[in-house]
Amino acid sequence: MPTYRDEAVVLRTHKLGEADRIVTMLSRQHGKIRAVAKGVRRTASRFGSRLEPFMVADVQLYEGRSLDIVTQAETIGAYGALIADDYASYTAANAMVETADRLTDAEASLQQYLLLVGALRSLSRREHGPGLTLDSYLLRALSLAGWAPSFQDCSRCGAPGPHTSVVVQLGGVVCANCAPQGAPKVDADTIALLGALLSGDWEAAEAAPEGTRNRANGVVAAYTQWHLERGLRSLQHVQHDRVASPDPTDQKASG
């Protein structure tokens, strides 16, 4: 049977029989792959730990009738243990891989692959708050899938912003003429944070206070759930960042 090799990030696994697992992976060149890893649950397995969720591996497979078979796996990014060691990072990573699973198929999507690997690497290194990393990933992944939000100009008519109404069904902020009656208003700081998360302006994102982060997260969650049509189960378990509120007696905080 023909064999092939690719880099892949493990999205999820399922037990199969007494010792095997079905591994769902997002690969660099072959899109989403479902393959059987034989004997992977045995303690003596030579590549069991390399095929756990959030791990990035160089895998060799041969094509099967319904499922491919993993024959080799070499670790490229050992992110699983580092992410699992922190609950907030772990819940964020679960939401990321569930999103990637929903947004991809057997067609190759290099940008989705690189985005997910980069986000998992960032989580494992604690580069940014897990909640910020997740929200940035979700906005970018949806953009790559064709659902790029607008947080500046009106997403319906293109009228130059800034605007204060956000309607996720219409693709982001909308002007006063396009906003449906009762459309929720969002403050300027929250809209600025959403734009920073989408563009990768981490300096601005990290400077946002907790309340702003929470409001931005609500918009991102609603936008994600709307466009994926079915709710992400992982999102309800996500633990978001907690940042210290400024001391009102601090001269810098009070201006």
Side-chain angles (χ1 to χ4, degrees), residues 12 14 22-25 32-36 66-69:
R12 54 190 170 91
H14 296 288
I22 297 175
V23 183
T24 302
M25 301 172 280
K32 192 161 62 180
I33 299 169
R34 294 181 74 242
V36 176
S66 57
L67 295 171
D68 296 346
I69 309 295

Side-chain angles (χ1 to χ4, degrees), residues 1-65:
M1 293 184 180
T3 63
Y4 64 97
R5 197 175 198 99
D6 205 346
E7 295 177 12
V9 55
V10 179
L11 304 180
R12 54 190 170 91
T13 64
H14 296 288
K15 293 180 181 179
L16 180 65
E18 295 184 358
D20 305 338
R21 275 201 181 107
I22 297 175
V23 183
T24 302
M25 301 172 280
L26 178 60
S27 71
R28 187 183 185 98
Q29 301 175 33
H30 295 84
K32 192 161 62 180
I33 299 169
R34 294 181 74 242
V36 176
K38 293 185 176 294
V40 75
R41 289 160 53 203
R42 297 193 181 102
T43 55
S45 171
R46 66 184 186 279
F47 52 65
S49 62
R50 303 169 192 172
L51 295 176
E52 294 292 334
F54 321 138
M55 298 291 282
V56 183
D58 180 350
V59 293
Q60 179 173 295
L61 309 97
Y62 69 78
E63 297 178 6
R65 291 184 178 179

Side-chain angles (χ1 to χ4, degrees), residues 23 25 95 115 128-129 132 146 149 154 172 175 196 207-208 216 249 253:
V23 183
M25 301 172 280
L115 178 67
H128 311 290
L132 291 177
C154 177
C175 67
T249 64

Side-chain angles (χ1 to χ4, degrees), residues 177-195:
N177 292 330
C178 294
Q181 185 175 5
K185 301 282 188 180
V186 178
D187 62 280
D189 287 345
T190 300
I191 291 176
L193 174 55
L194 290 165

